Amino acid sequence: MTSVGVLAELEAGMAELSTPMRVFVAAGRFTEPEPDLPQLAARIRMLLASATADEAWRRFLPKYAPPSVPEVCAALEAVETHAAASLLAKVATVDLVWPSHRHLPVETAERAAARVVSLLGPAATWWTNHDSECGAVNGLTPLFDSLLAGTDGEHFTLALQIADD
């Protein structure tokens, strides 16, 4: 599949994982040569800015500015590729405040997440703001937030759920 075809498939898969006002997604292709974590963090900042500028959240965050690229990098923890699809589906489905509430049907999210992870391939790197050792979250906003970011070194995908109680 060509890079353009992969990008189109990634965008479609991520769009399936998006829900209004709660789960914000992005997929794209890096323009920088040999992108690494700082370039991914810059895309995360862009998603954070977009999500928190959404009309539903702007009133809760009137003076919010996304963390700097180094701060975003410091908030991220590596995720093993074999765990990426289930975490991506969880970010899209399980409400951060009310875990029994689902934003999407589980089957829909699992199918789309598996496809996205497959498209990025087994050598992709995945990052989250969750510390898997202790279960803590390195918040990127003043609200509840959950992020999963992946890249194959050419393309990237981002999923962010935000919530407030």
Side-chain angles (χ1 to χ4, degrees):
M1 184 179 303
T2 68
S3 180
V4 173
V6 170
L7 179 56
E9 291 283 328
L10 286 172
E11 288 172 338
M14 294 304 290
E16 284 187 63
L17 298 169
S18 175
T19 59
M21 301 182 311
R22 292 308 273 249
V23 181
F24 298 85
V25 301
R29 186 170 181 225
F30 290 109
T31 55
E32 304 89 350
E34 300 183 35
D36 205 355
L37 189 56
Q39 289 75 28
L40 184 63
R43 298 317 192 283
I44 293 168
R45 285 190 84 238
M46 291 169 59
L47 181 62
L48 288 165
S50 173
T52 57
D54 184 271
E55 193 174 319
W57 294 107
R58 194 175 14 206
R59 64 189 167 118
F60 296 108
L61 304 162
K63 296 181 182 183
Y64 171 78
S68 67
V69 166
E71 291 170 325
V72 171
C73 288
L76 299 177
E77 302 282 335
V79 173
E80 296 292 329
T81 301
H82 66 82
S86 64
L87 186 52
L88 182 55
K90 183 177 179 182
V91 168
T93 58
V94 179
D95 188 87
L96 294 172
V97 177
W98 306 103
S100 61
H101 175 73
R102 298 293 181 258
H103 295 292
L104 292 172
V106 173
E107 302 78 28
T108 301
E110 287 175 344
R111 186 188 73 255
R115 178 73 176 137
V116 166
V117 171
S118 172
L119 285 164
L120 287 182
T125 56
W126 293 90
W127 303 89
T128 185
N129 63 330
H130 294 261
D131 184 327
S132 60
E133 295 297 315
C134 68
V137 175
N138 302 317
L140 296 167
T141 70
L143 305 170
F144 297 108
D145 58 71
S146 183
L147 169 85
L148 183 67
T151 179
D152 64 2
E154 182 179 359
H155 303 92
F156 63 88
T157 60
L158 311 172
L160 169 73
Q161 184 188 142
I162 56 176
D164 191 31
D165 67 352

